[in-house]
Amino acid sequence: MPDRSPIPVHAVSRPGLLKLLDAGVRSPLTVVIAPAGSGKTVLLSQWVQSRPDLAFVWFEVSDIDRDTVRFARRFASALSHAHPGIASLLPAPEATGGLGEAYLDAVVGALSDVDGEVVIVVDDVQRLRNPALVDDLWKLADLLPPNAHLVLSSRVDTGMRLTQHRLRHSLVEIRQRDLRFDDDDAARLLGLLSGGEVPARTAALVREHTDGWAAGVQLAGLTLRSRPDDDLLASIAESDRLIVDYLGEEVLDAQPPQLREALLRLSVPDELHPDLVPLLAGDGLAPDLLRELERESMFLTARPERPGWFAFHPLFRNLMRLRLRVEHPGLEETLLVRLAEWSRERDDSVTAVQALLRARQWEDALRLVLATGREAFEVGYSATLVRWLSAVPAEVRRADPQAEVLYGIALGISGHAREAVELLRIVADRTDLDDGIRTIARGYLAAGVQFVPAAETLLADGVMALAALDADPGMTLPDIMQLTQREPLYALTLASVARAELFLGRLAQAEERLDRMLASPGALYAPYRIHALGSRAMVDALSGRLAAATARADEALQLAAETGLREHQSTGDPHLALALVAARRGAPESGALSLREGVLRATGNARHQLLWLAVLAERLSAPSGATEVEEPPTPAPPVVQVELDAVRLRAARQSGQPEPAHETPEGWSSVAFEEVAARLARGDVTAAGRRLRDALHSDPSPTLIGQVEQELALGWFQAASGDRAASERHLVRALSLAEPEQLLGPFLAAGRPVAALIESLPGAPNAFRRHVVRTAGLVGHGGADELPEPLTRRELAILAYLPTRLSNAEIAARAYVSLNTVKTHIARIYRKLDVQSRSAAVDRAADLGLLEPLGTGDAL
């Protein structure tokens, strides 16, 4: 991609504005905001040419950049001019509209590695029409390293947060008033365009009635080529601010009839290739017509990112389209169909679909989407599919059930789960459709269980879909973009049913279904396998089988690394499973990076129910401390709500507060443990014994965590009842169950009273028993208080690796995060510790008592 947009031959130098841009480099951000045709792009291109000492990245926003994934990939390609390897370092953006924290961190980390100053010019920001992307550009400006500078050029300032940069950084703003031509500027431009000297009064008159607007002055110059007389000047003087439209028509009317007709026809595509000229405008035109039009300043410019392609200025193009519709009704639709056919022959389905949609050829557009659209899912363009399908009238789309199902799938993947569930529900309940399409709708309905709080209902949909597939092995399943073949559909539905069981707290059923799914042929598809392994690891973590959870999560993340899916949303489950393992072991710092990565993946497409598991992992680690994970805007699933209720009960018990209102689930649970503990803490041994007997009677075979909790509750109760021997047996049993998994959570929940009982057990304590006694009081780090800005848990997790011989890349691989994430955290650690090197950071952290020991496998 060129480092700037081409400079027109008639461009007028603006030295005062160039000095303003030079001054702006000293701050993180410069904005150029003015209407279309004000000369923003020309000015910035001249500035780029005037500063060979700076490394420039030029990014021109196009309409396709409304799709977050397309924007992210094109932006990465542009940044490669400053950092050749950056495209491989950047993670996938969030599917809900924004780039996300991980992407921005990776950009900042890569720019920090660039030698010298880098200036990123983002032109035509207003074309994004995506508030989340605009907001991310502002976040990027706030995060940029000292050697980087951002320039945003836009027609409007909607969504731009200017006040903060005005106050903190002496923001340079170039507005319409600054870009407005004065009489001398207008005279120079008119002279260049008309081919001769222009009288001062003519230049002043043009400047006055165009208000110094660059495009208006340019249009006047083109008009003066054919009508340099006083009559024209008189007509201009009598006109109002619609002069732009008037002059546009004058430019068209001044052209030879054949060229004028060709211009109208060539206005149909958004971008033009020379091969389209005979197809749209007919034969007999110059073979290099587009180059000639560019040289003649007919508002046609080359596309920097697409060699050989051109585009009219939007104002001129829109004017010609209006004239085409008036003079040749229906011709635009005919030409759009030709454009679609031409594009389809060249495997450009994106342009073809958009042309058919503009032509209102709804059925043809739907057929093309259904036939060629799988690539949109494979490369993350689900938002584009949503935009296409929403452009089709609802009654036309509903008449094609396959298109309607595809619309529901695309809505779900792009983060609009509630709308997706409502739409797929209608399809699933239609009795006039074949079983195949209804089964597909139910299978994808079940997949919504991570997004919306309807686990029971979606579980029933998934069970119905599985039953239908089992009952009719020969069922005809429509092939919707190759997403609905039998084996992957069965695997997707089975895993979705298992996740519904998980969210409902039925861990044994979830385990059985996930094991079946992982053994099925459909599980060979890497994203499905990664996702299912992560869910299976989550079941293990919730149950207390922490070693198995770690092994399965590591297997999933290793597969993601091997298949190039490290940033894929399917990795959210294994990351959150590792975070929950760390919380269960009482070592939240070791899971901080996994928690962050899991939250990023789940937030990326608004999987709110999965995000509740991230909330749980953090609350278990910090029941009453500062938290970073926001609670999703949906009710918590039952499996999470029970544990969160237990966390609230525990906080009330440990602070001597009354027991808060809560529900008591049937059987043994962490809530039952807290209810027993609260009665024991109050000294009401009789009530504690009664509650303990009821809970034990109703659930004789709980999870491993439940077994440990039961033994601890019995040990505490027996000690309070005066039976020390029985108490010791139960406490020893609890330790023996928990030690193989290093399961510390139940002991931390019990707190100091049980820790004291364990400390008084007879016999020499082993390492795990000493660890329980030492940490059950929730001891924190005192040294961190000495820092003006404490290290976050994520930074502490990276800090623990710094005393080792591991490189940054090796740390990233072991933590299953990107290299740029590691670099970003190390830079922040150095800043907070006020050091300049790795060895100095280690020494300073040791002095503050901040270094956490790694496992034996990591301490290399």
Side-chain angles (χ1 to χ4, degrees):
M1 182 181 293
D3 58 0
R4 59 182 169 85
S5 184
I7 302 174
V9 295
H10 58 265
V12 173
S13 176
R14 316 290 297 276
L17 295 178
L18 295 179
K19 288 182 180 178
L20 269 179
L21 291 169
D22 286 340
V25 177
R26 293 191 290 271
S27 63
L29 178 69
T30 293
V31 295
V32 184
I33 302 172
S38 298
K40 303 183 295 295
T41 301
V42 172
L43 172 66
L44 291 172
S45 298
Q46 291 172 317
W47 183 50
V48 172
Q49 187 180 62
S50 73
R51 293 297 304 267
D53 57 313
L54 300 176
F56 279 91
V57 171
W58 186 281
F59 182 82
E60 183 174 356
V61 178
S62 66
D63 288 338
I64 64 172
D65 293 312
R66 300 173 197 172
D67 187 298
T68 304
V69 176
R70 290 180 182 271
F71 176 89
R73 292 182 179 175
R74 291 188 65 241
F75 193 55
S77 177
L79 291 173
S80 65
H81 287 271
H83 189 300
I86 195 170
S88 63
L89 300 176
L90 298 183
E94 296 181 354
T96 50
L99 296 171
E101 181 183 349
Y103 187 98
L104 296 179
D105 279 351
V107 170
V108 172
L111 292 174
S112 300
D113 291 339
V114 176
D115 293 330
E117 292 187 272
V118 181
V119 177
I120 305 168
V121 179
V122 182
D123 195 19
D124 276 344
V125 172
Q126 80 287 337
R127 298 181 73 179
L128 285 177
R129 299 184 187 178
N130 183 335
L133 282 177
V134 175
D135 192 52
D136 279 336
L137 289 176
W138 284 96
K139 291 177 183 176
L140 178 61
D142 292 332
L143 296 171
L144 284 175
N147 66 316
H149 179 73
L150 182 65
V151 179
L152 300 181
S153 173
S154 177
R155 295 181 187 176
V156 295
D157 57 5
T158 302
M160 294 191 177
R161 302 193 299 268
L162 299 173
T163 303
Q164 180 179 353
H165 281 267
R166 287 174 182 145
L167 295 175
R168 292 175 53 191
H169 304 296
S170 301
L171 174 70
V172 170
E173 299 176 65
I174 296 177
R175 296 277 184 168
Q176 181 179 1
R177 61 181 178 274
D178 306 303
L179 289 164
R180 190 177 292 138
F181 277 19
D182 60 20
D183 289 354
D184 291 339
D185 293 330
R188 289 199 300 273
L189 178 56
L190 292 172
L192 289 170
L193 288 168
S194 64
E197 187 174 350
V198 175
R201 74 181 188 91
T202 300
L205 193 57
V206 170
R207 196 272 312 153
E208 179 182 351
H209 284 274
T210 60
D211 199 21
W213 185 53
V217 177
Q218 181 182 356
L219 284 164
L222 293 174
T223 305
L224 288 173
R225 288 178 178 176
S226 56
R227 295 181 59 184
D229 55 75
D230 291 340
D231 290 340
L232 171 66
L233 296 178
S235 66
I236 291 175
E238 294 170 1
S239 67
D240 58 16
R241 289 185 182 275
L242 296 176
I243 189 172
V244 178
D245 291 337
Y246 171 80
L247 290 176
E249 294 179 8
E250 286 290 310
V251 171
L252 279 175
D253 291 341
Q255 307 308 315
Q258 184 184 21
L259 178 58
R260 180 184 178 281
E261 180 71 14
L263 287 172
L264 295 183
R265 289 168 169 261
L266 293 175
S267 70
V268 170
D270 291 338
E271 295 184 340
L272 281 165
H273 187 275
D275 291 349
L276 284 171
V277 173
L279 179 71
L280 301 178
D283 298 325
L285 297 167
D288 60 345
L289 175 64
L290 300 183
R291 288 289 182 194
E292 184 178 330
L293 291 173
E294 183 188 27
R295 287 194 297 271
E296 290 294 318
S297 299
M298 287 298 295
F299 299 97
L300 188 77
T301 57
R303 302 298 293 166
E305 73 276 17
R306 299 188 73 185
W309 287 78
F310 300 80
F312 282 112
H313 189 287
L315 291 175
F316 194 53
R317 182 183 64 211
N318 292 341
L319 170 65
M320 292 189 293
R321 284 181 181 175
L322 288 172
R323 296 292 294 269
L324 177 67
R325 292 164 191 163
V326 171
E327 297 178 18
H328 303 290
L331 180 56
E332 183 178 16
E333 288 75 14
T334 300
L335 297 178
L336 283 167
V337 171
R338 291 184 191 175
L339 173 63
E341 293 172 351
W342 183 85
S343 302
R344 187 159 33 186
E345 290 172 358
R346 285 154 182 78
D347 295 325
D348 183 1
S349 59
V350 172
T351 301
V353 169
Q354 292 176 165
L356 290 171
L357 291 173
R358 283 181 54 201
R360 300 177 183 274
Q361 301 297 308
W362 312 122
E363 289 81 4
D364 289 343
L366 289 178
R367 278 196 293 271
L368 183 56
V369 171
L370 289 166
T372 62
R374 181 176 181 180
E375 62 194 39
F377 282 105
E378 293 175 345
V379 295
Y381 295 166
S382 56
T384 296
L385 276 175
V386 170
R387 189 171 70 250
W388 287 346
L389 293 168
S390 62
V392 177
E395 63 273 13
V396 175
R397 197 180 57 243
R398 289 172 188 147
D400 187 338
Q402 293 187 35
E404 192 75 341
V405 167
L406 174 59
Y407 188 35
I409 296 172
L411 282 169
I413 292 176
S414 59
H416 304 283
R418 191 171 299 279
E419 297 95 320
V421 167
E422 291 174 356
L423 187 149
L424 291 172
R425 169 72 57 218
I426 293 172
V427 176
D429 291 344
R430 283 179 58 178
T431 57
D432 60 324
L433 300 180
D434 293 338
D435 288 343
I437 194 73
R438 296 171 66 196
T439 298
I440 292 170
R442 286 199 174 96
Y444 275 93
L445 268 172
V449 73
Q450 291 204 45
F451 300 83
V452 295
E456 288 279 14
T457 303
L458 299 179
L459 171 63
D461 286 307
V463 169
M464 290 177 66
L466 292 175
L469 291 169
D470 288 334
D472 186 2
M475 178 186 292
T476 300
L477 296 170
D479 188 0
I480 303 175
M481 293 174 34
Q482 299 178 310
L483 293 170
T484 56
Q485 297 167 346
R486 183 181 183 85
E487 289 181 352
L489 177 64
Y490 196 93
L492 170 77
T493 307
L494 189 56
S496 299
V497 168
R499 291 187 191 101
E501 302 276 22
L502 185 158
F503 287 130
L504 291 168
R506 304 168 189 169
L507 301 184
Q509 295 93 321
E511 178 181 331
E512 185 272 333
R513 293 186 189 275
L514 283 168
D515 287 344
R516 281 176 53 202
M517 183 274 182
L518 288 166
S520 71
L524 295 176
Y525 182 46
Y528 284 5
R529 188 166 193 83
I530 294 165
H531 201 175
L533 281 168
S535 296
R536 184 67 175 82
M538 188 64 72
V539 172
D540 286 330
L542 289 167
S543 301
R545 298 188 297 270
L546 306 186
T550 302
R552 288 193 170 96
D554 285 347
E555 180 184 351
L557 294 172
Q558 184 60 39
L559 177 59
E562 293 170 356
T563 54
L565 297 171
R566 186 192 295 270
E567 310 295 338
H568 195 271
Q569 289 160 352
S570 61
T571 61
D573 295 67
H575 274 301
L576 291 181
L578 290 175
L580 190 55
V581 167
R584 297 291 200 203
R585 287 179 169 164
E589 283 78 9
S590 67
L593 291 173
S594 292
L595 180 63
R596 173 186 182 275
E597 296 296 310
V599 168
L600 289 173
R601 305 295 180 272
T603 304
N605 59 348
R607 284 185 286 167
H608 292 145
Q609 297 303 95
L610 182 63
L611 276 169
W612 274 110
L613 290 166
V615 172
L616 173 60
E618 186 180 58
R619 300 302 187 270
L620 289 174
S621 303
S624 58
T627 57
E628 298 179 10
V629 182
E630 294 184 7
E631 293 188 359
T634 59
V639 72
V640 172
Q641 188 59 60
V642 170
E643 297 233 34
L644 292 181
D645 284 346
V647 169
R648 291 191 301 113
L649 289 167
R650 184 178 314 136
R653 167 171 59 86
Q654 292 175 346
S655 61
Q657 298 298 315
E659 191 173 276
H662 64 281
E663 292 187 8
T664 299
E666 294 184 6
W668 185 267
S669 67
S670 53
V671 167
F673 176 82
E674 286 300 330
E675 289 173 338
V676 172
R679 288 155 176 77
L680 290 171
R682 295 196 302 266
D684 193 345
V685 179
T686 301
R690 186 165 52 248
R691 180 67 187 97
L692 183 56
R693 284 191 297 273
D694 290 343
L696 291 174
H697 177 72
S698 59
D699 193 356
S701 57
T703 62
L704 177 62
I705 284 180
Q707 293 176 49
V708 175
E709 288 174 337
Q710 288 182 357
E711 296 295 339
L712 289 177
L714 286 165
W716 191 354
F717 170 73
Q718 295 292 2
S721 301
D723 192 341
R724 186 171 184 80
S727 172
E728 291 176 354
R729 286 196 302 272
H730 287 296
L731 295 175
V732 169
R733 172 68 174 158
L735 289 167
S736 65
L737 287 170
E739 183 177 3
E741 306 290 347
Q742 295 296 294
L743 177 58
L744 195 66
F747 299 91
L748 295 175
R752 295 185 182 277
V754 170
L757 293 173
I758 292 174
E759 187 174 20
S760 64
L761 287 173
N766 63 9
F768 181 70
R769 182 170 144 190
R770 289 195 299 270
H771 183 47
V772 167
V773 172
R774 184 173 63 252
T775 59
L778 299 175
V779 178
H781 294 289
D785 295 336
E786 298 180 27
L787 292 175
E789 186 178 358
L791 299 183
T792 66
R793 285 179 174 168
R794 296 195 294 268
E795 291 158 359
L796 288 170
I798 293 295
L799 177 65
Y801 285 100
L802 297 190
T804 71
R805 297 192 300 272
L806 295 174
S807 66
N808 289 351
E810 289 169 329
I811 294 172
R814 288 177 182 242
Y816 296 111
V817 297
S818 70
L819 177 59
N820 274 307
T821 294
V822 172
K823 289 181 179 178
T824 300
H825 285 311
I826 290 177
R828 291 172 181 168
I829 290 169
Y830 286 2
R831 177 175 59 80
K832 291 182 179 182
L833 296 181
D834 192 23
V835 297
Q836 300 296 322
S837 68
R838 185 167 179 168
S839 60
V842 172
D843 291 342
R844 174 70 171 146
D847 291 341
L848 294 172
L850 296 176
L851 288 175
E852 285 287 329
L854 292 170
T856 55
D858 287 325
L860 301 177

